[in-house]
Amino acid sequence: MSSLTVTGLTKAFGATPVLRGVDLHVPTGTLTALLGPSGCGKTTLLRLVAGFDDPDSGTVAVGDRVVAGGPGRGVPARRRGIGFVPQEGGLFPHLTVAGNIGFGLPRHERRDGGRIRSLLEIVGLDAALAARSPHQLSGGQQQRVALARALAPAPSLVLLDEPFSSLDAALREETRAAVATALDATGATAVLVTHDQAEALSMADQVAVLREGRLVQLTDPQTLYRSPQDLDVATFVGEAVVLTADLRAGTAHCALGPVPVDGAPADGPARVLLRPEQLRLSAPGPVPGELLALVGAVDFYGHDARVGLTLPDGTAVTARLDGADLPAAGAQVAVTVRGSALAFPTSVGTGQPTSVPA
Amino acid sequence: MTLALAVAVAALALLPLGYIAWYCVDLGWAGIRELVLRPRVGELLWNTVRLVAGTVLVCAVLGLGAAWLVERTSVPGRRVWHVLLVAPLAVPAFVNSYAWVSLLPGLDTYAGALLVVSLSYFPFVYLPLAAAFRGLDPALEETARGLGLSTWSVFLRVQLPQLRVALLGGSLLVALHLLAEFGALQMLRYPTFTTAIYDQYRATFNGPGATMLAGVLVVLCLVLLLAEIRLRGHRGYARAGRGAPRPVRPVRLGRLTPPALGGLAVLVGLSLVVPLGSLGYWVARGAGAALDGAALLTTTGTTLALAAVAAALTTAMALPTGWLAVRARGRVSTLLERSTYVGSSVPGIVVGLALVTLSIRATPWLYQTVPVLLVAYAILFLPRAIVTVRSAVEQSPALYDDVAASLGASAPARLRRVTLPLLAPGIGAGAALVFLAVVTELTATLLLAPTGTTTLATAFWSASSALDYGAAAPYAVVMVLLSAPATVLLSRDARRGLTP
């Protein structure tokens, strides 16, 4: 297993730039999620790393070995030792499961049933599946076989291109867990491309957010969620309550009343970010200065619920509550804020946060 | 590398066309005028045009009527009728012609020619129309009925406009085939360009006269091909892709059922029962006397061997073009693909003539050898192989190649372990189509086969030309038997045309 280092990578298709100088470091044995909306260049980045395409400039290094952009021609895909798991598995339809898994093994090892069995075991599949054809497997099983196939030649790095996007919700969870276990068990360095922020946050050791061909933020999931680089990233990685506020001495005065702000932002107008789960609702009581809101739509998900609220000044916000004790639509509730807000300059969108992230 | 191969294949396919063009330039305008603007050419043009027009009209009416009855009405035994209406394709046109003329020698008139070739070619219109009828959305007809239209008005105002592309496509296919038809018309002694070219070639070997006639014929073909390519460019709503969302309620024929059945029976009787019956009759008559079993066996062996080699060669040639058409979409690959279609639209007689002359002039050591004959087959039947190879490549996306590379497989290993196994079924189907086409190829074989090499078609031809109908029949029977599988393929994939 090796680390992956990408520096200054650019790529354009015709006149359309897709990657505009991406730097990325994936430490040995960790899983990095490449997160971004469709069309942000994440799949292109993956293909450049795998060696299916050549970058216009910049370098790709696996461990200490420069495989693209170094002096001379790039190392061809087949000599990079990088495993690849495509979107829908991409199992060879003319080979059995065993044939697929053994594809990258040296000839004498292909017939070794024990080797195939242990690989099936790593991805949590029954050894009896070895003789099946790909079309006899479920989508999740196909993905796992594809992972086993990629892991078989003991690659220095595994790339996964949106491997769970074609699976339905229940299967996705189960497959995700199996893949995470298998990657852990083999100690593989992995890069996972996804547009699903829950997947990125739950699986990855670090998340790289890509936007319009640039790397916007590279950090661990918790920091990303709590201290996003800007409001765009904030709304992309999770639901957000964004309010205009007036900052005075570390407190934001906004539609939710005074809310403490992280860090030491300058005084003046700003936009503040809260997460819906930071809002707490309670029955209105005889407490002075209480903030009352009108309950709008209640979307019940079972384990939790999303509640739409209208604040006294007409601002609409969303709260996320656990599913046990929900207000009725049309009720009056008292709103309190738990924790602190994150402040951003008022210039909309891509500005830097005024607070220093912890 | 692949590109270079595809360019070479396209260049080869355009060889006959290029030869004709070069000859015209070489001859100069005065020479062309002298040879083309004469009453004989006008006579041939008139013969050809009126036969093509008449046949297209008859085929369109027969095909449309039969497709409507089979696909949209309550006529009994619709599946059986469908197979019986496609089956005439298993009888090569020149065999059909022989079958009729050996029974009714008086058929050597315009009407006779019209009857015989229409019976041979109407399935070319029937097949796409049947597929188009199947693809029509019944909701449209029901809406029209709801608006108070009669069955006849529904057909005229709702169905026919949607069938236009299929009808025109089938008609163009009939016209192109008819322009290239030689055997059937020669047998009926109906003079058109192909028969005139052959007679000239026989008389003067390689007069400029034959080449100029070929030039006029090629121009006619190119006009039709251009029309076909344009038509396929926007075949839009007539595509039978989606299939009907629910079963169509067939039109109740009621008291009209017996006449409808009678009509279908007459059509199948004339197009299938008469030729097969005639073949049976001549086999029975000739059985006692002249059936030379050994000769039949040798000829069959020669034909099968030629067809097998031609199929392998043509399919191999189709691979680069079919590959590029999918993997490197763009102007160049489209141009290369179209070149092979244009090259193949040249009638067999012209391909034969061009290759005879070219091989005598440029490569005398190749004249009258098997390689030249194989090249002719490849030029004529490349599109059949390209169409199937192309759809096979579409079934195996580049992703598999990438995955195999990431697993450490080298380019040759990827070809052997992934690409070829995935393409094998398509390659096989393409090879089978070429194989079956070669088995019944007559015209180019007549001109190019080495002395002493006889195929089923040429053996049949020399016997029937000598009016030895009994001796000819067994060869025809073998050809029909060998063609039957192709008919099955065609009745399944109804939308196959000259260009995909």
Side-chain angles (χ1 to χ4, degrees), chain A residues 224-247:
Chain A
L224 180 69
Y225 189 74
R226 294 197 184 130
S227 311
Q229 186 88 0
D230 56 41
L231 279 174
D232 270 358
V233 174
T235 50
F236 187 66
V237 297
E239 278 185 88
V241 174
V242 180
L243 299 167
T244 51
D246 191 28
L247 297 188

PDB file of all heavy atoms in Angstrom, chain A residues 224-247:
ATOM      1  N   LEU A 224     -15.109  19.203   8.322  1.00  0.00           N
ATOM      2  CA  LEU A 224     -15.794  19.657   7.113  1.00  0.00           C
ATOM      3  C   LEU A 224     -17.225  20.069   7.432  1.00  0.00           C
ATOM      4  O   LEU A 224     -17.712  21.107   6.989  1.00  0.00           O
ATOM      5  CB  LEU A 224     -15.803  18.537   6.063  1.00  0.00           C
ATOM      6  CG  LEU A 224     -16.500  18.894   4.755  1.00  0.00           C
ATOM      7  CD1 LEU A 224     -15.696  19.932   3.998  1.00  0.00           C
ATOM      8  CD2 LEU A 224     -16.720  17.663   3.896  1.00  0.00           C
ATOM      9  N   TYR A 225     -17.898  19.247   8.250  1.00  0.00           N
ATOM     10  CA  TYR A 225     -19.297  19.528   8.564  1.00  0.00           C
ATOM     11  C   TYR A 225     -19.408  20.743   9.480  1.00  0.00           C
ATOM     12  O   TYR A 225     -20.272  21.587   9.312  1.00  0.00           O
ATOM     13  CB  TYR A 225     -19.919  18.300   9.219  1.00  0.00           C
ATOM     14  CG  TYR A 225     -21.422  18.406   9.402  1.00  0.00           C
ATOM     15  CD1 TYR A 225     -22.272  18.291   8.309  1.00  0.00           C
ATOM     16  CD2 TYR A 225     -21.971  18.617  10.667  1.00  0.00           C
ATOM     17  CE1 TYR A 225     -23.644  18.378   8.466  1.00  0.00           C
ATOM     18  CE2 TYR A 225     -23.346  18.701  10.832  1.00  0.00           C
ATOM     19  CZ  TYR A 225     -24.180  18.582   9.723  1.00  0.00           C
ATOM     20  OH  TYR A 225     -25.528  18.673   9.877  1.00  0.00           O
ATOM     21  N   ARG A 226     -18.488  20.831  10.447  1.00  0.00           N
ATOM     22  CA  ARG A 226     -18.604  21.910  11.438  1.00  0.00           C
ATOM     23  C   ARG A 226     -17.984  23.199  10.965  1.00  0.00           C
ATOM     24  O   ARG A 226     -18.450  24.283  11.324  1.00  0.00           O
ATOM     25  CB  ARG A 226     -17.934  21.465  12.738  1.00  0.00           C
ATOM     26  CG  ARG A 226     -18.705  20.305  13.330  1.00  0.00           C
ATOM     27  CD  ARG A 226     -18.376  20.069  14.761  1.00  0.00           C
ATOM     28  NE  ARG A 226     -19.096  18.875  15.210  1.00  0.00           N
ATOM     29  CZ  ARG A 226     -18.537  17.881  15.853  1.00  0.00           C
ATOM     30  NH1 ARG A 226     -17.256  17.936  16.149  1.00  0.00           N
ATOM     31  NH2 ARG A 226     -19.245  16.835  16.207  1.00  0.00           N
ATOM     32  N   SER A 227     -16.891  23.125  10.226  1.00  0.00           N
ATOM     33  CA  SER A 227     -16.222  24.351   9.789  1.00  0.00           C
ATOM     34  C   SER A 227     -16.004  24.348   8.286  1.00  0.00           C
ATOM     35  O   SER A 227     -14.865  24.293   7.823  1.00  0.00           O
ATOM     36  CB  SER A 227     -14.865  24.497  10.479  1.00  0.00           C
ATOM     37  OG  SER A 227     -15.001  24.313  11.851  1.00  0.00           O
ATOM     38  N   PRO A 228     -17.077  24.368   7.526  1.00  0.00           N
ATOM     39  CA  PRO A 228     -16.898  24.378   6.069  1.00  0.00           C
ATOM     40  C   PRO A 228     -16.210  25.657   5.622  1.00  0.00           C
ATOM     41  O   PRO A 228     -16.312  26.695   6.288  1.00  0.00           O
ATOM     42  CB  PRO A 228     -18.318  24.292   5.530  1.00  0.00           C
ATOM     43  CG  PRO A 228     -19.187  24.761   6.649  1.00  0.00           C
ATOM     44  CD  PRO A 228     -18.481  24.429   7.916  1.00  0.00           C
ATOM     45  N   GLN A 229     -15.501  25.550   4.527  1.00  0.00           N
ATOM     46  CA  GLN A 229     -14.721  26.652   3.981  1.00  0.00           C
ATOM     47  C   GLN A 229     -15.595  27.858   3.659  1.00  0.00           C
ATOM     48  O   GLN A 229     -15.225  28.981   3.900  1.00  0.00           O
ATOM     49  CB  GLN A 229     -14.058  26.143   2.700  1.00  0.00           C
ATOM     50  CG  GLN A 229     -13.100  27.091   2.061  1.00  0.00           C
ATOM     51  CD  GLN A 229     -11.714  26.894   2.641  1.00  0.00           C
ATOM     52  OE1 GLN A 229     -11.515  26.044   3.504  1.00  0.00           O
ATOM     53  NE2 GLN A 229     -10.774  27.681   2.209  1.00  0.00           N
ATOM     54  N   ASP A 230     -16.756  27.601   3.054  1.00  0.00           N
ATOM     55  CA  ASP A 230     -17.654  28.703   2.699  1.00  0.00           C
ATOM     56  C   ASP A 230     -19.090  28.185   2.721  1.00  0.00           C
ATOM     57  O   ASP A 230     -19.323  27.000   2.956  1.00  0.00           O
ATOM     58  CB  ASP A 230     -17.261  29.297   1.340  1.00  0.00           C
ATOM     59  CG  ASP A 230     -17.239  28.252   0.243  1.00  0.00           C
ATOM     60  OD1 ASP A 230     -18.145  27.396   0.214  1.00  0.00           O
ATOM     61  OD2 ASP A 230     -16.294  28.272  -0.573  1.00  0.00           O
ATOM     62  N   LEU A 231     -20.023  29.071   2.455  1.00  0.00           N
ATOM     63  CA  LEU A 231     -21.432  28.684   2.561  1.00  0.00           C
ATOM     64  C   LEU A 231     -21.832  27.645   1.517  1.00  0.00           C
ATOM     65  O   LEU A 231     -22.699  26.814   1.759  1.00  0.00           O
ATOM     66  CB  LEU A 231     -22.319  29.921   2.438  1.00  0.00           C
ATOM     67  CG  LEU A 231     -22.436  30.723   3.748  1.00  0.00           C
ATOM     68  CD1 LEU A 231     -23.208  32.010   3.515  1.00  0.00           C
ATOM     69  CD2 LEU A 231     -23.143  29.885   4.820  1.00  0.00           C
ATOM     70  N   ASP A 232     -21.204  27.713   0.334  1.00  0.00           N
ATOM     71  CA  ASP A 232     -21.502  26.708  -0.690  1.00  0.00           C
ATOM     72  C   ASP A 232     -21.165  25.312  -0.193  1.00  0.00           C
ATOM     73  O   ASP A 232     -21.956  24.378  -0.325  1.00  0.00           O
ATOM     74  CB  ASP A 232     -20.692  26.990  -1.964  1.00  0.00           C
ATOM     75  CG  ASP A 232     -21.450  27.888  -2.905  1.00  0.00           C
ATOM     76  OD1 ASP A 232     -22.605  28.244  -2.568  1.00  0.00           O
ATOM     77  OD2 ASP A 232     -20.896  28.231  -3.960  1.00  0.00           O
ATOM     78  N   VAL A 233     -19.961  25.180   0.353  1.00  0.00           N
ATOM     79  CA  VAL A 233     -19.555  23.878   0.895  1.00  0.00           C
ATOM     80  C   VAL A 233     -20.487  23.497   2.031  1.00  0.00           C
ATOM     81  O   VAL A 233     -20.947  22.357   2.128  1.00  0.00           O
ATOM     82  CB  VAL A 233     -18.097  23.921   1.388  1.00  0.00           C
ATOM     83  CG1 VAL A 233     -17.731  22.614   2.074  1.00  0.00           C
ATOM     84  CG2 VAL A 233     -17.150  24.201   0.226  1.00  0.00           C
ATOM     85  N   ALA A 234     -20.812  24.484   2.878  1.00  0.00           N
ATOM     86  CA  ALA A 234     -21.679  24.223   4.026  1.00  0.00           C
ATOM     87  C   ALA A 234     -23.006  23.630   3.581  1.00  0.00           C
ATOM     88  O   ALA A 234     -23.467  22.616   4.124  1.00  0.00           O
ATOM     89  CB  ALA A 234     -21.924  25.520   4.787  1.00  0.00           C
ATOM     90  N   THR A 235     -23.635  24.239   2.574  1.00  0.00           N
ATOM     91  CA  THR A 235     -24.942  23.734   2.142  1.00  0.00           C
ATOM     92  C   THR A 235     -24.798  22.447   1.363  1.00  0.00           C
ATOM     93  O   THR A 235     -25.713  21.645   1.326  1.00  0.00           O
ATOM     94  CB  THR A 235     -25.677  24.786   1.293  1.00  0.00           C
ATOM     95  OG1 THR A 235     -24.777  25.246   0.283  1.00  0.00           O
ATOM     96  CG2 THR A 235     -26.122  25.961   2.136  1.00  0.00           C
ATOM     97  N   PHE A 236     -23.621  22.228   0.758  1.00  0.00           N
ATOM     98  CA  PHE A 236     -23.458  20.990  -0.011  1.00  0.00           C
ATOM     99  C   PHE A 236     -23.266  19.786   0.903  1.00  0.00           C
ATOM    100  O   PHE A 236     -23.762  18.696   0.597  1.00  0.00           O
ATOM    101  CB  PHE A 236     -22.274  21.120  -0.972  1.00  0.00           C
ATOM    102  CG  PHE A 236     -22.156  19.952  -1.904  1.00  0.00           C
ATOM    103  CD1 PHE A 236     -23.149  19.713  -2.856  1.00  0.00           C
ATOM    104  CD2 PHE A 236     -21.097  19.076  -1.821  1.00  0.00           C
ATOM    105  CE1 PHE A 236     -23.074  18.628  -3.699  1.00  0.00           C
ATOM    106  CE2 PHE A 236     -21.013  17.986  -2.667  1.00  0.00           C
ATOM    107  CZ  PHE A 236     -22.004  17.767  -3.604  1.00  0.00           C
ATOM    108  N   VAL A 237     -22.549  19.960   2.021  1.00  0.00           N
ATOM    109  CA  VAL A 237     -22.286  18.797   2.872  1.00  0.00           C
ATOM    110  C   VAL A 237     -23.417  18.507   3.852  1.00  0.00           C
ATOM    111  O   VAL A 237     -23.387  17.475   4.517  1.00  0.00           O
ATOM    112  CB  VAL A 237     -20.951  18.893   3.646  1.00  0.00           C
ATOM    113  CG1 VAL A 237     -19.780  18.939   2.695  1.00  0.00           C
ATOM    114  CG2 VAL A 237     -20.949  20.090   4.573  1.00  0.00           C
ATOM    115  N   GLY A 238     -24.395  19.358   3.941  1.00  0.00           N
ATOM    116  CA  GLY A 238     -25.493  19.042   4.844  1.00  0.00           C
ATOM    117  C   GLY A 238     -26.551  20.127   4.806  1.00  0.00           C
ATOM    118  O   GLY A 238     -26.353  21.188   4.214  1.00  0.00           O
ATOM    119  N   GLU A 239     -27.683  19.845   5.435  1.00  0.00           N
ATOM    120  CA  GLU A 239     -28.728  20.853   5.504  1.00  0.00           C
ATOM    121  C   GLU A 239     -28.244  22.022   6.343  1.00  0.00           C
ATOM    122  O   GLU A 239     -27.511  21.846   7.310  1.00  0.00           O
ATOM    123  CB  GLU A 239     -29.974  20.269   6.148  1.00  0.00           C
ATOM    124  CG  GLU A 239     -30.822  19.479   5.195  1.00  0.00           C
ATOM    125  CD  GLU A 239     -32.106  19.044   5.882  1.00  0.00           C
ATOM    126  OE1 GLU A 239     -33.074  19.815   5.847  1.00  0.00           O
ATOM    127  OE2 GLU A 239     -32.095  17.950   6.471  1.00  0.00           O
ATOM    128  N   ALA A 240     -28.657  23.236   5.969  1.00  0.00           N
ATOM    129  CA  ALA A 240     -28.135  24.398   6.672  1.00  0.00           C
ATOM    130  C   ALA A 240     -29.248  25.404   6.944  1.00  0.00           C
ATOM    131  O   ALA A 240     -30.223  25.481   6.210  1.00  0.00           O
ATOM    132  CB  ALA A 240     -27.040  25.059   5.843  1.00  0.00           C
ATOM    133  N   VAL A 241     -29.069  26.122   8.044  1.00  0.00           N
ATOM    134  CA  VAL A 241     -29.910  27.282   8.320  1.00  0.00           C
ATOM    135  C   VAL A 241     -28.985  28.485   8.173  1.00  0.00           C
ATOM    136  O   VAL A 241     -28.028  28.632   8.933  1.00  0.00           O
ATOM    137  CB  VAL A 241     -30.479  27.227   9.749  1.00  0.00           C
ATOM    138  CG1 VAL A 241     -31.226  28.515  10.071  1.00  0.00           C
ATOM    139  CG2 VAL A 241     -31.369  26.016   9.920  1.00  0.00           C
ATOM    140  N   VAL A 242     -29.220  29.290   7.154  1.00  0.00           N
ATOM    141  CA  VAL A 242     -28.359  30.445   6.908  1.00  0.00           C
ATOM    142  C   VAL A 242     -29.172  31.709   7.135  1.00  0.00           C
ATOM    143  O   VAL A 242     -30.239  31.882   6.544  1.00  0.00           O
ATOM    144  CB  VAL A 242     -27.795  30.419   5.471  1.00  0.00           C
ATOM    145  CG1 VAL A 242     -26.909  31.627   5.239  1.00  0.00           C
ATOM    146  CG2 VAL A 242     -27.030  29.136   5.225  1.00  0.00           C
ATOM    147  N   LEU A 243     -28.675  32.567   8.027  1.00  0.00           N
ATOM    148  CA  LEU A 243     -29.421  33.778   8.382  1.00  0.00           C
ATOM    149  C   LEU A 243     -28.510  34.993   8.275  1.00  0.00           C
ATOM    150  O   LEU A 243     -27.296  34.895   8.490  1.00  0.00           O
ATOM    151  CB  LEU A 243     -29.933  33.673   9.826  1.00  0.00           C
ATOM    152  CG  LEU A 243     -30.888  32.508  10.115  1.00  0.00           C
ATOM    153  CD1 LEU A 243     -31.066  32.337  11.618  1.00  0.00           C
ATOM    154  CD2 LEU A 243     -32.233  32.733   9.442  1.00  0.00           C
ATOM    155  N   THR A 244     -29.097  36.137   7.942  1.00  0.00           N
ATOM    156  CA  THR A 244     -28.301  37.359   7.996  1.00  0.00           C
ATOM    157  C   THR A 244     -28.271  37.817   9.450  1.00  0.00           C
ATOM    158  O   THR A 244     -29.235  37.635  10.192  1.00  0.00           O
ATOM    159  CB  THR A 244     -28.922  38.471   7.136  1.00  0.00           C
ATOM    160  OG1 THR A 244     -30.294  38.590   7.492  1.00  0.00           O
ATOM    161  CG2 THR A 244     -28.813  38.160   5.661  1.00  0.00           C
ATOM    162  N   ALA A 245     -27.119  38.382   9.836  1.00  0.00           N
ATOM    163  CA  ALA A 245     -26.963  38.726  11.254  1.00  0.00           C
ATOM    164  C   ALA A 245     -26.097  39.964  11.398  1.00  0.00           C
ATOM    165  O   ALA A 245     -25.412  40.380  10.463  1.00  0.00           O
ATOM    166  CB  ALA A 245     -26.336  37.562  12.008  1.00  0.00           C
ATOM    167  N   ASP A 246     -26.158  40.517  12.561  1.00  0.00           N
ATOM    168  CA  ASP A 246     -25.286  41.640  12.908  1.00  0.00           C
ATOM    169  C   ASP A 246     -24.353  41.151  14.008  1.00  0.00           C
ATOM    170  O   ASP A 246     -24.811  40.682  15.051  1.00  0.00           O
ATOM    171  CB  ASP A 246     -26.166  42.807  13.397  1.00  0.00           C
ATOM    172  CG  ASP A 246     -25.354  44.075  13.509  1.00  0.00           C
ATOM    173  OD1 ASP A 246     -24.355  44.200  12.760  1.00  0.00           O
ATOM    174  OD2 ASP A 246     -25.719  44.924  14.346  1.00  0.00           O
ATOM    175  N   LEU A 247     -23.034  41.175  13.762  1.00  0.00           N
ATOM    176  CA  LEU A 247     -22.081  40.657  14.732  1.00  0.00           C
ATOM    177  C   LEU A 247     -21.657  41.769  15.690  1.00  0.00           C
ATOM    178  O   LEU A 247     -21.256  42.854  15.259  1.00  0.00           O
ATOM    179  CB  LEU A 247     -20.841  40.095  14.031  1.00  0.00           C
ATOM    180  CG  LEU A 247     -21.029  38.894  13.104  1.00  0.00           C
ATOM    181  CD1 LEU A 247     -19.675  38.357  12.661  1.00  0.00           C
ATOM    182  CD2 LEU A 247     -21.835  37.804  13.790  1.00  0.00           C
TER     183      LEU A 247
END
